[in-house]
Amino acid sequence: MRAKESTKTGVWLIGARGGLATTLLAGVKLIGKKLVSSCGLLTETPGLQGVAFPALSDLVFGGHDIRKGRVYETAVEIYRETGTIPYDKLEVVKDELAEIDDDIALGTARNCGPAIERLGVPKARNLRGTLQDDVDRLGADMRAFQKRHKLGTVIVVNLASTEPPAGTGPAAKDPALFRKALLTRAAASSNGRVRGQAFRASTLYAAAAAASGFPFVNFTPSSGALPPALQAIFGESGLPFMGNDGKTGETLVKSAIAPMFKYRNLTVLAWQGYNILGDRDGLVLSDASNRQSKIDSKDSVLASILGYKPHTKVGIDYVPSLHDLKTAWDFVHFQGFLDYKMALQFIWQGCDAILAAPLVLDLVRFAALALRKEEKGPMRHLACFFKDPVGVAEQDLHGQFHQLLAYVERARGNQRSKA
Amino acid sequence: MRAKESTKTGVWLIGARGGLATTLLAGVKLIGKKLVSSCGLLTETPGLQGVAFPALSDLVFGGHDIRKGRVYETAVEIYRETGTIPYDKLEVVKDELAEIDDDIALGTARNCGPAIERLGVPKARNLRGTLQDDVDRLGADMRAFQKRHKLGTVIVVNLASTEPPAGTGPAAKDPALFRKALLTRAAASSNGRVRGQAFRASTLYAAAAAASGFPFVNFTPSSGALPPALQAIFGESGLPFMGNDGKTGETLVKSAIAPMFKYRNLTVLAWQGYNILGDRDGLVLSDASNRQSKIDSKDSVLASILGYKPHTKVGIDYVPSLHDLKTAWDFVHFQGFLDYKMALQFIWQGCDAILAAPLVLDLVRFAALALRKEEKGPMRHLACFFKDPVGVAEQDLHGQFHQLLAYVERARGNQRSKA
Amino acid sequence: MRAKESTKTGVWLIGARGGLATTLLAGVKLIGKKLVSSCGLLTETPGLQGVAFPALSDLVFGGHDIRKGRVYETAVEIYRETGTIPYDKLEVVKDELAEIDDDIALGTARNCGPAIERLGVPKARNLRGTLQDDVDRLGADMRAFQKRHKLGTVIVVNLASTEPPAGTGPAAKDPALFRKALLTRAAASSNGRVRGQAFRASTLYAAAAAASGFPFVNFTPSSGALPPALQAIFGESGLPFMGNDGKTGETLVKSAIAPMFKYRNLTVLAWQGYNILGDRDGLVLSDASNRQSKIDSKDSVLASILGYKPHTKVGIDYVPSLHDLKTAWDFVHFQGFLDYKMALQFIWQGCDAILAAPLVLDLVRFAALALRKEEKGPMRHLACFFKDPVGVAEQDLHGQFHQLLAYVERARGNQRSKA
Amino acid sequence: MRAKESTKTGVWLIGARGGLATTLLAGVKLIGKKLVSSCGLLTETPGLQGVAFPALSDLVFGGHDIRKGRVYETAVEIYRETGTIPYDKLEVVKDELAEIDDDIALGTARNCGPAIERLGVPKARNLRGTLQDDVDRLGADMRAFQKRHKLGTVIVVNLASTEPPAGTGPAAKDPALFRKALLTRAAASSNGRVRGQAFRASTLYAAAAAASGFPFVNFTPSSGALPPALQAIFGESGLPFMGNDGKTGETLVKSAIAPMFKYRNLTVLAWQGYNILGDRDGLVLSDASNRQSKIDSKDSVLASILGYKPHTKVGIDYVPSLHDLKTAWDFVHFQGFLDYKMALQFIWQGCDAILAAPLVLDLVRFAALALRKEEKGPMRHLACFFKDPVGVAEQDLHGQFHQLLAYVERARGNQRSKA
């Protein structure tokens, strides 16, 4: 599937009409016109120069979505809601954004539970075929995109709304059983609970990527995306993948500060975190079963860093007026010398899409690099980008970042030695 | 001066009747009685076990102060003001605290400026002899303490109120000129400004430690404590030393979080920090010239970590009702993808003495170890304890901590190989 | 029941061994010794002088509790947990507190749900008699207290843990049906849900007060305390009463700030409030059914003040390390000119018992005054003390306070005209 | 000067090209097109209906400025800096904003100190004539505007940057001496200090309004605008006026919350307020002498409300990246029962111009009403709009608002009785 002679790299976004994808697309186009800086992109910093990432201008975008609409219209909507995409500059790249619409195909909401199914067009959720029929259709879309644009490879990235937790039956663990289960019509029950073999949409997309020979990045906590059986299939196929759940806000700060308490032998008694947000993502998360996936992924960080489990709570509430301008209040109660109790509070006011979009671009470039270097399986060096990095125990942001730097150093060394 | 056969280590506190020293002393005695935990002490964590630190129960305490009073009485005052020292438990160690009073000698406020001189008894500030006369008297106190208690060594620690910035004339740089200047009566002018050779009290204490063969730790920002000339003298004498300014609160958090912005290529536009506190330290810092030393030491951290200088401000205001319960609000304005601006705020509510006391004990134990290992000059591996570590450019708390761990690993290895 | 010749007034505390009652009792005794100021007591301010309140020194304390223990011991426990009661001063009033223990009788946990029943001694919850048997026994305790101390009257105040919401059947509305229901053994089902006639403990205490001719103040949100049928009985008996739920923290601030948005025609889009606390009260509130009573009472304030219902959330979470030092974060999202959105956040760090205790004393004194003035039914002028004031629509703190001042003015006028 | 037959009312803005004026102008035009709501305007709420205010659509705008530029361009600049003015909607009213430019005349920076003089074109600050020459020229501009648009009256509003404190010599107090002083060239010294008769620009504008028969509203803390001598002249001329310093942010919240502490007899120990902002206003305020006027006006509120003076600090710092999105952190330390200390913090994130613009419109409409009702001297009923209301001791926001409501009630009554 790899056309190595091409310098173009495809980026296939699951959820291509969502807020995050739209922000990413508007941003790439505006950076290309030098109307905004490359702020937020780690792969554009001096420390990461000299590594053979694909150029930003060589990325070509397409994707799946379960909703209708046009990228430009979503961008205007975002401007109206939060002002994060500048209206005056948006006009300049209107035509470039319009072209992308032609590369967005209808996705699937299969087995995603009612909170997500409500968002999609009827066609996206009323599917009569087997799961494998879906995988085939989705993969065909991806490969057609590659062919249409003569792309060296395509990096598939899941940006779709958080699904409820996935089932963990035998079919999730064994590649043969997994392949067999795809041949059924296994469906989640009406309340969104999934039987072991009723794989959710995110898993179907990932299977389509694997079948097409494309790397896969799961930027969401939809744990269904990468059951062990599918991880094994990626490994067998010689393909790199990574996830789960981009680390963009409260958890990012948490993983940056928590080590400080360890360095000072200050005992964390309680760490309460309250997130409020209001976009489509927030609406899906206001559904208790979808929220659980998110909270699981956010709450595991502390015990791993501190070495003990303090009293914790991670709350996520839907506040529609905020749209994507997430606000989080964290209260950390800790104990020091003489067993005296003190407190650190922080308030994080960040736009999720603004924080996530450059990470997605960084991840795409790292995945393209890994494919070229013929790495396969989980890209563990990318742990610092994820709340719940596959195959990595280290949750300390600083430790994770130094692992990334070490990888970059090696990558640079290899390039030099080849030259 | 080292009586290696003794297992006891002396701890000589400059400012022995202050809030920090009192908290430290009450804490050590209560830990000894198992009435409080060893929370806050890094040297008591599992990660630092197996290193030949002096036992907490083998530390003997004395010191200098320019004020009258008894340690127990200060402890009760602290209980009344902030509740950090528990009254009921304090009663149990009342007699042990009383014994320490006998080992506290009259210090000097020489050349410290009016804000500090006002705090001392008249005898501490009206001195007619040369600076060397002071050094001799202070050193004699330290050595008498060593002899009285048959101590292996004495670690001298400066905990006294922050002095105004020191002069930087030739006598501060050249050991010979420095020794010559000590033989004069050089005095700071009435507004607290110091001429190049009018060394401040903290420098005189440090010179007394060096002359007595004792390591010296400067826990304050009084930069006068360690002019290059005196650093050279410590090196020549084969003595370790370290400073400046214990990293206990807002700066600690700052040095823990700031790297996060670098990892994400988020541009810090402004970092405003406002500290309010109300103890004796706060009163001294409400004097503009004394405050400047503190602010200089707090403000250099960011540019070093980020690689550029954002708009910054560090304010310190005196709020008497808070006593030692310092509160700090930091507002960090930063820019991300699409040049969109976001904010992180944190509120730090910590008791300075509670946070500082265990660091002092950790530093004393590390200094005793360094002396035993015949290390000399600045103990660079202790950078994570200081706002402005002598001889260390690294300001990233995580980098600093890993340097400490590496030192500990080596120390442990050496012990094993000797055994 | 009123022995008008006596100058002593009884205060009968339901929950007399709880944190709030203990704080109140320690405070009254320490104010009496002039060891602390009368800070927090509105009835001690210059603006309320010249009103014939009972003197603080003329108040005599007793009460019911479902737990064992001694007031002094609880006070020491509070000192250890939060430091709010000063240990050194507590020693001075130890004997006075011990005397109160003799006037604390066994209460009832009848129909209070498992979260409360778990707290009590077995005898408090395994009751075989009718509800009326309980009322008789509780009333007998109150009257014996009056007789023993020769008290002019007794003010009964409910400070017990928040019960789950009460039933609202016909027996709650009609005095005759109410009296009939008391003659049964009606019990709440095992999950704490209450049938219409299974009145909760707080209602039984209130009925006992009414039967004894004593005013009743409900400082908790236990709405079961004052069903309409019982309100009618108080009215018929010529007795004043008031409730519900002392306004001490986040809601107090809310009702002070919310009018500001109205004055400026700033539209409140969302008001999210997150409370964290850790005492026995917090533990009971961590039970979802008990918490509901509290949240209902906190959430009604905004719509009443603003005239429309913004998106709101009131969360209460149990954080054991905080004990009674409640912390609340409120995020107010609002819209102004050009429909631009802005935010006000506040963080409230107050000790609930410290804030509540003086209100209870103020309420007791106002209730004694009302009884003397032969007022009956709800004391509407006390609205500013309650989250959910009986019979009062006004939720604006400022409006409520001016109603109180007007009442005081009239009370003062009457006294003068009688003199 | 009053052409009562006209239904049009002029609004003459001093500082017509500034951020506040631009926001106001864009807002009025967008409200007129129904592209934004009338949020923020008190005079558009149901509670104030039925009062004979001029219609928003009957207001005609002009003014003075010391800078060049066009209103639309400033509006675009504001869009780029803070996003408060929506770019897409702005395009719709571009032509209407362009018309206003024709009615903006060159103002004066006379005696305003270097921080302001730097902002103006050279012609605005190099004036050779007497102060009276300025007054004549400024008044002529105002009257020409009235004539050009056939306006019933013109309300003059000062929105210009904060001047340093004004002198308080005899000429500031006595109308005759004042008029005499205007006939000189009295100039502020080069460091911005003003001699008693060197009246600042704001006073010259006010004098021009008085001489033209126009009401005057001082929305800034420039105290020079209304010296007693000039107040007397307004009174003699039968003209209403009001000031000083619009209450839009931190002080607004302060005056809303502070009464709460009084209602609960909670002693405020300290109230520290830190404001950070970054627009042109912030730049001028970063000049110490200009800042002093602002701080004086902000700091007097608390003592007036509480009845005693707690420890306070009001800081204002310039943070350029924030532009007009002011952020303020207030820390309130207070003491309650048992003398226990607690804290309330609030964080205010509001855009100054967005908060101020509707107040200016409200004030203009109230001033037009007062003129029609033939009221003269300070409009005390408008106290709730100002930090330092002329002739009003009441600082409690709630008290002030009820005074406004009472005035409105009377105004409505009069209209009815006339009808």
Side-chain angles (χ1 to χ4, degrees), chain C residues 25-49:
Chain C
L25 294 168
V28 166
K29 297 306 175 190
L30 289 172
I31 292 170
K33 295 267 187 246
K34 296 192 188 306
L35 288 171
V36 300
S37 77
S38 61
C39 194
L41 276 165
L42 187 66
T43 47
E44 292 290 311
T45 53
L48 269 73
Q49 293 316 294

mmCIF file of all heavy atoms in Angstrom, chain C residues 25-49:
data_model
loop_
_atom_site.group_PDB
_atom_site.id
_atom_site.type_symbol
_atom_site.label_atom_id
_atom_site.label_comp_id
_atom_site.label_asym_id
_atom_site.label_seq_id
_atom_site.Cartn_x
_atom_site.Cartn_y
_atom_site.Cartn_z
ATOM 1 N N LEU C 25 -20.945 25.578 71.870
ATOM 2 C CA LEU C 25 -20.818 25.518 73.335
ATOM 3 C C LEU C 25 -19.453 26.017 73.790
ATOM 4 O O LEU C 25 -19.351 26.813 74.737
ATOM 5 C CB LEU C 25 -21.058 24.083 73.814
ATOM 6 C CG LEU C 25 -22.503 23.579 73.585
ATOM 7 C CD1 LEU C 25 -22.590 22.066 73.810
ATOM 8 C CD2 LEU C 25 -23.476 24.316 74.496
ATOM 9 N N ALA C 26 -18.395 25.581 73.097
ATOM 10 C CA ALA C 26 -17.059 26.062 73.454
ATOM 11 C C ALA C 26 -16.999 27.574 73.286
ATOM 12 O O ALA C 26 -16.445 28.285 74.131
ATOM 13 C CB ALA C 26 -16.010 25.378 72.581
ATOM 14 N N GLY C 27 -17.594 28.062 72.204
ATOM 15 C CA GLY C 27 -17.565 29.491 71.929
ATOM 16 C C GLY C 27 -18.265 30.313 72.992
ATOM 17 O O GLY C 27 -17.746 31.318 73.478
ATOM 18 N N VAL C 28 -19.468 29.888 73.367
ATOM 19 C CA VAL C 28 -20.221 30.632 74.380
ATOM 20 C C VAL C 28 -19.433 30.695 75.684
ATOM 21 O O VAL C 28 -19.353 31.748 76.331
ATOM 22 C CB VAL C 28 -21.596 29.978 74.613
ATOM 23 C CG1 VAL C 28 -22.236 30.509 75.880
ATOM 24 C CG2 VAL C 28 -22.498 30.215 73.421
ATOM 25 N N LYS C 29 -18.823 29.591 76.059
ATOM 26 C CA LYS C 29 -18.087 29.570 77.324
ATOM 27 C C LYS C 29 -16.828 30.444 77.242
ATOM 28 O O LYS C 29 -16.477 31.128 78.206
ATOM 29 C CB LYS C 29 -17.701 28.120 77.674
ATOM 30 C CG LYS C 29 -18.901 27.195 77.899
ATOM 31 C CD LYS C 29 -19.857 27.745 78.943
ATOM 32 C CE LYS C 29 -21.121 26.883 79.096
ATOM 33 N NZ LYS C 29 -22.142 27.566 79.937
ATOM 34 N N LEU C 30 -16.164 30.431 76.079
ATOM 35 C CA LEU C 30 -14.942 31.241 75.935
ATOM 36 C C LEU C 30 -15.268 32.729 75.824
ATOM 37 O O LEU C 30 -14.509 33.573 76.300
ATOM 38 C CB LEU C 30 -14.141 30.772 74.712
ATOM 39 C CG LEU C 30 -13.472 29.408 74.893
ATOM 40 C CD1 LEU C 30 -12.852 28.919 73.585
ATOM 41 C CD2 LEU C 30 -12.396 29.480 75.982
ATOM 42 N N ILE C 31 -16.389 33.057 75.193
ATOM 43 C CA ILE C 31 -16.815 34.465 75.169
ATOM 44 C C ILE C 31 -17.107 34.914 76.603
ATOM 45 O O ILE C 31 -16.733 36.015 77.023
ATOM 46 C CB ILE C 31 -18.065 34.661 74.280
ATOM 47 C CG1 ILE C 31 -17.721 34.424 72.805
ATOM 48 C CG2 ILE C 31 -18.660 36.052 74.457
ATOM 49 C CD1 ILE C 31 -18.929 34.353 71.877
ATOM 50 N N GLY C 32 -17.748 34.029 77.356
ATOM 51 C CA GLY C 32 -18.067 34.354 78.759
ATOM 52 C C GLY C 32 -16.820 34.652 79.582
ATOM 53 O O GLY C 32 -16.829 35.516 80.458
ATOM 54 N N LYS C 33 -15.755 33.970 79.277
ATOM 55 C CA LYS C 33 -14.472 34.200 79.979
ATOM 56 C C LYS C 33 -13.660 35.307 79.318
ATOM 57 O O LYS C 33 -12.503 35.535 79.692
ATOM 58 C CB LYS C 33 -13.629 32.912 79.944
ATOM 59 C CG LYS C 33 -14.197 31.734 80.697
ATOM 60 C CD LYS C 33 -13.652 31.679 82.113
ATOM 61 C CE LYS C 33 -14.091 30.411 82.817
ATOM 62 N NZ LYS C 33 -14.996 30.699 83.954
ATOM 63 N N LYS C 34 -14.218 35.923 78.305
ATOM 64 C CA LYS C 34 -13.503 36.950 77.517
ATOM 65 C C LYS C 34 -12.187 36.429 76.923
ATOM 66 O O LYS C 34 -11.218 37.176 76.744
ATOM 67 C CB LYS C 34 -13.245 38.206 78.354
ATOM 68 C CG LYS C 34 -14.522 38.916 78.795
ATOM 69 C CD LYS C 34 -14.233 40.295 79.355
ATOM 70 C CE LYS C 34 -15.479 40.929 79.970
ATOM 71 N NZ LYS C 34 -16.657 40.995 79.062
ATOM 72 N N LEU C 35 -12.147 35.157 76.616
ATOM 73 C CA LEU C 35 -10.948 34.596 75.983
ATOM 74 C C LEU C 35 -11.002 34.688 74.464
ATOM 75 O O LEU C 35 -9.990 34.538 73.793
ATOM 76 C CB LEU C 35 -10.757 33.130 76.419
ATOM 77 C CG LEU C 35 -10.296 32.969 77.863
ATOM 78 C CD1 LEU C 35 -10.352 31.514 78.288
ATOM 79 C CD2 LEU C 35 -8.884 33.522 78.033
ATOM 80 N N VAL C 36 -12.202 34.875 73.932
ATOM 81 C CA VAL C 36 -12.348 35.176 72.502
ATOM 82 C C VAL C 36 -13.372 36.305 72.388
ATOM 83 O O VAL C 36 -14.139 36.556 73.337
ATOM 84 C CB VAL C 36 -12.834 33.955 71.671
ATOM 85 C CG1 VAL C 36 -11.852 32.785 71.765
ATOM 86 C CG2 VAL C 36 -14.228 33.517 72.098
ATOM 87 N N SER C 37 -13.380 36.957 71.225
ATOM 88 C CA SER C 37 -14.324 38.061 71.025
ATOM 89 C C SER C 37 -15.703 37.508 70.645
ATOM 90 O O SER C 37 -15.876 36.310 70.477
ATOM 91 C CB SER C 37 -13.822 38.965 69.900
ATOM 92 O OG SER C 37 -14.077 38.348 68.649
ATOM 93 N N SER C 38 -16.676 38.382 70.496
ATOM 94 C CA SER C 38 -18.014 37.939 70.079
ATOM 95 C C SER C 38 -18.172 38.030 68.558
ATOM 96 O O SER C 38 -19.285 38.114 68.045
ATOM 97 C CB SER C 38 -19.079 38.769 70.786
ATOM 98 O OG SER C 38 -18.918 40.127 70.431
ATOM 99 N N CYS C 39 -17.063 38.007 67.864
ATOM 100 C CA CYS C 39 -17.055 38.062 66.389
ATOM 101 C C CYS C 39 -18.012 37.012 65.823
ATOM 102 O O CYS C 39 -18.049 35.874 66.296
ATOM 103 C CB CYS C 39 -15.641 37.815 65.903
ATOM 104 S SG CYS C 39 -15.364 38.241 64.181
ATOM 105 N N GLY C 40 -18.781 37.364 64.836
ATOM 106 C CA GLY C 40 -19.706 36.440 64.205
ATOM 107 C C GLY C 40 -21.132 36.569 64.704
ATOM 108 O O GLY C 40 -22.062 36.137 64.029
ATOM 109 N N LEU C 41 -21.304 37.149 65.883
ATOM 110 C CA LEU C 41 -22.640 37.287 66.471
ATOM 111 C C LEU C 41 -23.262 38.608 66.059
ATOM 112 O O LEU C 41 -22.862 39.672 66.534
ATOM 113 C CB LEU C 41 -22.542 37.233 67.995
ATOM 114 C CG LEU C 41 -22.513 35.845 68.613
ATOM 115 C CD1 LEU C 41 -22.040 35.918 70.057
ATOM 116 C CD2 LEU C 41 -23.907 35.219 68.549
ATOM 117 N N LEU C 42 -24.278 38.547 65.236
ATOM 118 C CA LEU C 42 -24.937 39.778 64.812
ATOM 119 C C LEU C 42 -25.607 40.471 65.992
ATOM 120 O O LEU C 42 -25.622 41.706 66.082
ATOM 121 C CB LEU C 42 -25.978 39.446 63.736
ATOM 122 C CG LEU C 42 -26.629 40.631 63.061
ATOM 123 C CD1 LEU C 42 -25.613 41.414 62.254
ATOM 124 C CD2 LEU C 42 -27.771 40.180 62.163
ATOM 125 N N THR C 43 -26.134 39.672 66.909
ATOM 126 C CA THR C 43 -26.852 40.258 68.056
ATOM 127 C C THR C 43 -25.927 40.990 69.032
ATOM 128 O O THR C 43 -26.405 41.593 69.985
ATOM 129 C CB THR C 43 -27.644 39.172 68.810
ATOM 130 O OG1 THR C 43 -26.796 38.040 69.029
ATOM 131 C CG2 THR C 43 -28.871 38.746 68.037
ATOM 132 N N GLU C 44 -24.633 40.923 68.787
ATOM 133 C CA GLU C 44 -23.695 41.673 69.626
ATOM 134 C C GLU C 44 -23.158 42.916 68.928
ATOM 135 O O GLU C 44 -22.247 43.570 69.449
ATOM 136 C CB GLU C 44 -22.519 40.770 70.040
ATOM 137 C CG GLU C 44 -22.886 39.637 70.980
ATOM 138 C CD GLU C 44 -23.264 40.119 72.383
ATOM 139 O OE1 GLU C 44 -22.503 40.929 72.949
ATOM 140 O OE2 GLU C 44 -24.324 39.707 72.885
ATOM 141 N N THR C 45 -23.670 43.238 67.733
ATOM 142 C CA THR C 45 -23.163 44.419 67.028
ATOM 143 C C THR C 45 -23.893 45.672 67.498
ATOM 144 O O THR C 45 -25.028 45.597 67.983
ATOM 145 C CB THR C 45 -23.348 44.265 65.497
ATOM 146 O OG1 THR C 45 -24.716 43.946 65.238
ATOM 147 C CG2 THR C 45 -22.468 43.171 64.949
ATOM 148 N N PRO C 46 -23.249 46.832 67.334
ATOM 149 C CA PRO C 46 -23.865 48.096 67.777
ATOM 150 C C PRO C 46 -25.263 48.288 67.169
ATOM 151 O O PRO C 46 -26.179 48.752 67.854
ATOM 152 C CB PRO C 46 -22.901 49.165 67.263
ATOM 153 C CG PRO C 46 -21.588 48.460 67.106
ATOM 154 C CD PRO C 46 -21.911 47.039 66.765
ATOM 155 N N GLY C 47 -25.430 47.888 65.890
ATOM 156 C CA GLY C 47 -26.710 48.106 65.225
ATOM 157 C C GLY C 47 -27.878 47.380 65.876
ATOM 158 O O GLY C 47 -29.031 47.732 65.645
ATOM 159 N N LEU C 48 -27.603 46.350 66.665
ATOM 160 C CA LEU C 48 -28.687 45.589 67.290
ATOM 161 C C LEU C 48 -28.746 45.791 68.798
ATOM 162 O O LEU C 48 -29.411 45.017 69.511
ATOM 163 C CB LEU C 48 -28.576 44.094 66.951
ATOM 164 C CG LEU C 48 -29.350 43.693 65.676
ATOM 165 C CD1 LEU C 48 -28.651 44.192 64.436
ATOM 166 C CD2 LEU C 48 -29.594 42.220 65.623
ATOM 167 N N GLN C 49 -28.060 46.803 69.299
ATOM 168 C CA GLN C 49 -28.140 47.065 70.725
ATOM 169 C C GLN C 49 -29.493 47.665 71.097
ATOM 170 O O GLN C 49 -30.218 48.147 70.240
ATOM 171 C CB GLN C 49 -27.007 48.015 71.152
ATOM 172 C CG GLN C 49 -25.641 47.371 71.018
ATOM 173 C CD GLN C 49 -25.606 45.941 71.544
ATOM 174 O OE1 GLN C 49 -25.773 45.704 72.723
ATOM 175 N NE2 GLN C 49 -25.452 44.961 70.647
#
